[in-house]
Amino acid sequence: MNTELIGVVVTFLLTVLLAFPLGKYIAKMFAGERTITDFMNPVERFIYRISGIDPKKGMNWKEFLKSMLAINMLWLFYAFFLLLNQSHLPLNPDGNPNMTPDLSFNTAISFLVNCNLQHYSGESGLTYFTQLFVITFLQFVSAATGIAAAVALFNGLKHKTTDNLGNFWDIFTKSITRILLPLCIVMAVIMAFNGSPASFDGKDTITTLQGDTVNVSRGPAAGMIAIKHLGTNGGGWFGANSAHPLENPNYVTNMIELIAQVLIPIAMLFALGFYIKRKKFAYVIFGIMTVGMLFLIVPTMNWEMHGNPEIAKMGILQATGAMEGKEVRFGPAASAYWSIVTTIISTGSVNSMHDSSMPLSGMMQMLGMLINAFYGGCGVGILNYYIYIIIAVFIGGLMVGRTPEFMGHKVEAREVKIAALVTLLSAFLIKGGTALAAYYFVKHGNADWTVQPANWLNNPGNHGFSEMFYEFTSSNANNGSGFEGLGDNNIFWNVTTGFVLILGRFLPIIGPIAIAGLLAKKKFIPESSGTLKVDSLTFGVLTFAIIIIITALSYFPPLVLGPIAEYFSL
């Protein structure tokens, strides 16, 4: 057990040590300073030339969002069409069929919004062509979209008064050419040398030790595994995701995948401090996010390493902890760490089955997604935390009897209303979706549907409620992990989660960028003795308290009906 704990600590420390210089590099690169990747200039100029883009043209917040939303809509139709017709396209050695319209709708949206919720199994649901030109492509562009949105926020915070949040096309392109692509090449090579497949061969036939003949899917998986983690995407090449021995062959690759999915979110925090020249502000945010992560990770690891109390009552020794749904290659500590990291980061990849976690461990995974601001996704984690900052500034201003200010700009009713709307919308989507699913399950379980609602759940009762609640929580948080006891590949779940996916992605991006743009245009007010210092520990604690209070008020009832009730029923 001590060895497992050391492995977790070393993994996190390595992540921070790598994220700090990466954050400095990201800040310099987006500030237009000389960096090691300047050799990509000719490639970028070629892209701008053939696309008719002027990378030096500034954009206000409305123009920035218009560009971002327009190109994302184009990618949605592109992905939907290819998934509907994938059996007629090349690179399909296993003869996999087309996706149904409802599954294509869900999958196209899911990967567009960086969620990667998979209502299909990778080996049989996709061809090599769509794995590469739809799934992997969207994993790059969705991550770059998140980074671009974060840099727009940085630009709004950097200047005293400005109407320019940067050029979306320039930031987006450089996010791929200078951050995601170089890192992915390095990681893909490491994965390939450790056993992840990187060929275009079809299924291989092997004979197991007990004499069974098994068909094993392969394909060019290594590159996709790299961007799925570095871009905080999470979708697996194989159905079992990173619990699959070809997607995550050993403990070394397990550490690499863990580091990769946390690397850019933490690096973006450090980049914020370097970019706007307020390093203390970034360190405070990093500290609060790390404390929040520890509040989720430490109890989860404790519960998983001590095993199931009901099994212990039977006199069965659980020397290795709660091993149901876990890979013996990794053990309960590394699996528990992964389960929290992947849910706070919005990656959604898994190296164990969350459905098999202890009840309160499942609650911690849900809390990571409900808060959605402890590091968070690739770029968008900062945007989510920014919403809490605006609310904290507003409340802090009321407490001291002053007009709320943030970095020299007055926070007025319009900004607070946008922040409140984003917060309330998440709660509405998650709880409204869960309530609708529960209604159909209970009241119309035998409805004349292809998949009857009564057959959705393998685990009825409190755990079944958790499965439905988790699915909508994961969709809204753009996470993609799931309690896989839920039968989700049907029209109801594909359509409802599809709408939650797209609203849960873009409204929390539109809101913060709008706030940043509105504040940046206002007259700059120098700090005075009464100004609330946002780079202080006091403000960090206030923000943390706001996060806890809002989450508790919004989600305590469904958590009681699900994982908490399940815990007390053990």
Side-chain angles (χ1 to χ4, degrees):
M1 290 295 181
N2 289 336
T3 304
E4 289 191 62
L5 291 173
I6 292 172
V8 169
V9 173
V10 169
T11 300
F12 180 72
L13 291 178
L14 284 174
T15 306
V16 178
L17 288 174
L18 292 171
F20 189 82
L22 178 60
K24 184 176 289 188
Y25 159 77
I26 291 172
K28 290 179 65 177
M29 186 265 292
F30 283 123
E33 300 176 24
R34 291 180 62 86
T35 63
I36 195 174
T37 55
D38 283 348
F39 66 89
M40 293 299 295
N41 275 328
V43 176
E44 292 158 0
R45 285 198 298 268
F46 175 74
I47 294 172
Y48 299 147
R49 189 178 300 115
I50 64 173
S51 303
I53 294 170
D54 178 7
K56 299 186 182 300
K57 180 184 177 182
M59 295 181 176
N60 61 33
W61 68 271
K62 293 179 181 179
E63 293 169 330
F64 193 96
L65 289 174
K66 180 181 177 181
S67 298
M68 182 193 73
L69 295 174
I71 192 65
N72 274 266
M73 182 176 294
L74 176 64
W75 293 330
L76 175 60
F77 287 109
Y78 159 81
F80 181 70
F81 177 79
L82 290 186
L83 292 171
L84 275 177
N85 298 282
Q86 65 177 358
S87 69
H88 307 296
L89 300 172
L91 298 178
N92 187 15
D94 298 329
N96 292 343
N98 295 328
M99 278 192 175
T100 60
D102 58 297
L103 183 56
S104 298
F105 170 80
N106 183 275
T107 304
I109 292 176
S110 180
F111 283 84
L112 174 77
V113 303
N114 200 251
C115 182
N116 295 21
L117 187 75
Q118 293 177 282
H119 288 177
Y120 64 90
S121 182
E123 301 97 322
S124 58
L126 293 171
T127 67
Y128 293 172
F129 187 91
T130 48
Q131 286 272 34
L132 292 173
F133 293 99
V134 175
I135 303 304
T136 305
F137 167 77
L138 290 178
Q139 287 178 330
F140 271 100
V141 298
S142 65
T145 298
I147 295 173
V151 175
L153 173 64
F154 294 179
N155 285 325
L157 299 177
K158 183 178 182 179
H159 304 285
K160 290 183 177 180
T161 301
T162 184
D163 195 28
N164 179 13
L165 296 188
N167 185 289
F168 170 79
W169 306 112
D170 183 45
I171 301 169
F172 169 81
T173 302
K174 288 179 178 177
S175 297
I176 295 176
T177 58
R178 302 196 181 203
I179 301 175
L180 296 172
L181 193 57
L183 290 174
C184 283
I185 291 173
V186 173
M187 183 176 171
V189 170
I190 296 173
M191 294 301 300
F193 274 96
N194 275 275
S196 292
S199 73
F200 286 88
D201 295 329
K203 292 180 180 179
D204 192 12
T205 301
I206 64 170
T207 303
T208 66
L209 293 175
Q210 62 185 20
D212 296 331
T213 300
V214 179
N215 291 323
V216 179
S217 296
R218 294 180 288 182
M224 190 265 215
I225 296 168
I227 185 57
K228 92 167 187 179
H229 283 121
L230 285 163
T232 65
N233 294 283
W237 184 278
F238 301 98
N241 209 282
S242 286
H244 195 287
L246 296 183
E247 195 150 334
N248 190 3
N250 51 51
Y251 199 89
V252 172
T253 60
N254 193 66
M255 289 183 67
I256 290 170
E257 291 183 31
L258 277 168
I259 291 170
Q261 61 187 293
V262 194
L263 183 62
I264 294 179
I266 294 183
M268 290 298 290
L269 293 176
F270 294 135
L272 168 64
F274 291 118
Y275 192 80
I276 69 173
K277 294 180 171 54
R278 299 192 66 159
K279 291 186 283 187
K280 187 179 179 182
F281 176 61
Y283 295 154
V284 168
I285 296 177
F286 171 72
I288 295 301
M289 288 184 176
T290 302
V291 169
M293 178 194 72
L294 291 174
F295 271 117
L296 299 175
I297 282 179
V298 172
T300 300
M301 291 177 61
N302 178 65
W303 291 320
E304 296 302 319
M305 293 174 72
H306 282 83
N308 191 319
E310 291 301 298
I311 295 178
K313 289 177 184 178
M314 299 167 63
I316 299 174
L317 182 64
Q318 301 176 81
T320 56
M323 287 301 296
E324 181 190 342
K326 297 181 180 63
E327 273 289 316
V328 294
R329 292 173 291 152
F330 311 131
S335 298
Y337 177 65
W338 185 304
S339 74
I340 297 301
V341 163
T342 197
T343 45
I344 66 171
I345 296 295
S346 87
T347 305
S349 65
V350 297
N351 74 342
S352 64
M353 296 299 106
H354 291 187
D355 200 38
S356 297
S357 299
M358 299 301 296
L360 295 185
S361 298
M363 182 181 74
M364 293 300 179
Q365 296 158 14
M366 294 179 200
L367 283 172
M369 296 182 289
L370 294 170
I371 294 170
N372 206 22
F374 293 154
Y375 303 148
C378 214
V380 295
I382 296 175
L383 298 182
N384 293 331
Y385 192 86
Y386 183 65
I387 291 295
Y388 289 116
I389 286 178
I390 295 299
I391 296 174
V393 165
F394 174 68
I395 293 176
L398 293 179
M399 291 172 65
V400 298
R402 287 174 55 95
T403 301
E405 296 175 14
F406 179 64
M407 291 193 177
H409 300 100
K410 289 188 179 295
V411 178
E412 298 174 303
R414 184 164 47 173
E415 293 82 36
V416 176
K417 287 177 181 177
I418 294 172
L421 183 63
V422 171
T423 304
L424 293 172
L425 175 75
S426 293
F428 172 76
L429 291 175
I430 294 170
K431 293 190 290 187
T434 305
L436 184 65
Y439 170 78
Y440 276 103
F441 178 79
V442 174
K443 296 294 185 180
H444 301 282
N446 297 318
D448 188 19
W449 295 358
T450 303
V451 179
Q452 293 182 328
N455 297 325
W456 286 345
L457 303 177
N458 290 330
N459 301 285
N462 302 121
H463 191 81
F465 178 84
S466 294
E467 290 173 349
M468 295 189 292
F469 181 64
Y470 193 109
E471 186 77 359
F472 281 107
T473 300
S474 179
S475 300
N476 178 75
N478 297 133
N479 189 269
S481 62
F483 271 12
E484 295 305 335
L486 176 70
D488 47 26
N489 186 13
N490 54 70
I491 291 179
F492 177 87
W493 288 102
N494 285 333
V495 173
T496 55
T497 56
F499 284 113
V500 173
L501 284 165
I502 203 161
L503 292 173
R505 165 70 166 182
F506 288 111
L507 291 180
I509 289 179
I510 293 171
I513 291 180
I515 294 173
L518 292 169
L519 289 179
K521 290 174 61 177
K522 295 183 180 181
K523 180 182 177 182
F524 180 79
I525 304 170
E527 288 188 359
S528 65
S529 58
T531 300
L532 180 65
K533 295 187 179 299
V534 296
D535 57 0
S536 66
L537 179 61
T538 301
F539 182 75
V541 173
L542 173 63
T543 306
F544 185 77
I546 295 297
I547 291 172
I548 299 304
I549 291 169
I550 289 177
T551 304
L553 291 175
S554 300
Y555 302 111
F556 185 69
L559 291 174
V560 168
L561 292 173
I564 295 176
E566 184 185 357
Y567 168 75
F568 284 111
S569 68
L570 286 179

